[in-house]
């Protein structure tokens, strides 16, 4: 049949993966650093993937293509959900770490090795493994961070993790819809604030976009901010 379907210009594609996260049906994958429409019957032709593309590589076209198969899409989603539940390893079990509060909370920790400590308060931290509801989310200041930021920014624990519940991810590498997961977390918990920490690279735009979209759809007034880290490890104003 001839119908509307997306077209991806691989010459324009930078492999950021934003379209993969935006496609709720799982029709797109990153292959050899480029986005590809790998399941034409999973593409509904609505173009949720278009607005987020930073290079304009995705457009609509009318051409011969198999019909959209909603039943196959739902079956694939159920298979992924069942697989994630049945293959949970002990390392993904929920844990909460209690950190002692310093007498002078505003005092900056020095860089002396004797004074350095982990500020991580929760486990797991990967967005795709994180529970949608947990005791440590109640009244939490939520940190949503691109996983590379902890490697690029030297004082990540002291300046960002401290006093926050943390979840991390990479939209370029994870085949998961961050928007849906983040929306569930915001809807099911009393989140007090959200800090989004991302790298300056384009692929981190998917994480920022998913978080902002989840905040907008939550219907809650939650203060939020975005902090961008440069590749050389500095905060970009």
């Amino acid at each position: 049949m001839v119908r509307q379907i997306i077209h991806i210009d691989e010459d324009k594609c930078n492999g950021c993966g934003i379209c993969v996260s935006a496609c709720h049906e799982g029709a797109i994958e990153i292959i050899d650093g480029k986005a590809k429409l790998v399941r034409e019957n999973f593409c509904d032709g609505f173009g949720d993937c278009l607005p987020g593309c930073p290079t304009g590589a995705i457009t609509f076209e009318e051409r011969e293509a198999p019909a959209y198969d909603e039943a196959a899409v739902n079956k694939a989603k159920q298979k992924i959900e069942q697989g994630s539940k049945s293959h949970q390893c002990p390392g993904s079990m929920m844990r909460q770490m209690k950190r002692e509060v310093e007498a002078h909370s505003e005092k900056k920790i020095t860089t002396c090795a004797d004074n350095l400590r982990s500020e991580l308060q929760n486990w797991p931290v990967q967005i795709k493994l994180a529970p949608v509801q947990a005791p440590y989310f109640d009244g939490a200041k939520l940190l949503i961070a691109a996983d590379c930021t902890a490697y690029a920014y030297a004082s990540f624990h002291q300046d960002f993790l401290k006093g926050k519940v943390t979840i991390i991810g990479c939209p370029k590498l994870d085949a998961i819809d961050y928007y849906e997961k983040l929306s569930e977390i915001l809807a099911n918990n009393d989140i007090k604030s959200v800090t989004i920490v991302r790298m300056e690279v384009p692929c981190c735009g998917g994480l920022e976009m998913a978080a902002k979209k989840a905040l907008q759809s939550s219907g809650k007034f939650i203060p939020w901010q975005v902090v961008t880290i440069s590749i050389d490890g500095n905060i970009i104003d």
Side-chain angles (χ1 to χ4, degrees), residues 29 46 50 64 78 82 131 136 142 147 172 185 229:
E29 292 183 5
F46 291 156
L50 268 72
E64 186 73 28
Q78 290 174 1
Q82 291 172 357
Y136 50 70
L142 182 64
D147 48 16
K172 189 170 183 177
I185 291 173
I229 307 297

Side-chain angles (χ1 to χ4, degrees), residues 9 37 44 48 58 66 77 81-82 100 105 143 161 182 184 234:
D9 186 339
L37 178 60
D44 58 13
D48 288 345
I58 305 176
K77 287 182 178 179
E81 290 175 0
Q82 291 172 357
E100 294 181 2
S105 58
L143 173 66
L161 257 70
L182 294 175
E184 288 186 83
N234 294 308

Side-chain angles (χ1 to χ4, degrees), residues 96-157:
Q96 182 175 9
M97 286 73 78
K98 297 292 186 180
R99 303 293 183 187
E100 294 181 2
V101 180
E102 294 181 359
H104 304 287
S105 58
E106 298 300 320
K107 184 179 180 181
K108 196 174 185 66
I109 295 177
T110 67
T111 57
C112 175
D114 290 339
N115 290 327
L116 290 178
R117 68 173 188 177
S118 172
E119 297 293 345
L120 187 65
Q121 296 190 20
N122 60 285
W123 187 267
V125 293
Q126 288 286 344
I127 296 175
K128 61 183 180 181
L129 298 178
V132 296
Q133 192 168 17
Y136 50 70
F137 281 133
D138 186 31
K141 296 178 180 178
L142 182 64
L143 173 66
I144 304 172
D147 48 16
C148 292
T149 55
Y151 294 93
Y153 189 77
S155 299
F156 188 80
H157 276 247

Side-chain angles (χ1 to χ4, degrees), residues 58-95:
I58 305 176
T59 55
F60 284 124
E61 65 176 351
E62 293 276 345
R63 65 172 174 83
E64 186 73 28
Y68 171 61
D69 191 340
E70 185 176 4
V73 170
N74 290 334
K75 186 176 180 179
K77 287 182 178 179
Q78 290 174 1
K79 187 175 181 181
I80 292 172
E81 290 175 0
Q82 291 172 357
S84 64
K85 291 177 181 178
S86 62
H87 292 90
Q88 286 185 350
C89 69
S92 64
M93 292 177 63
M94 184 180 68
R95 292 183 59 188

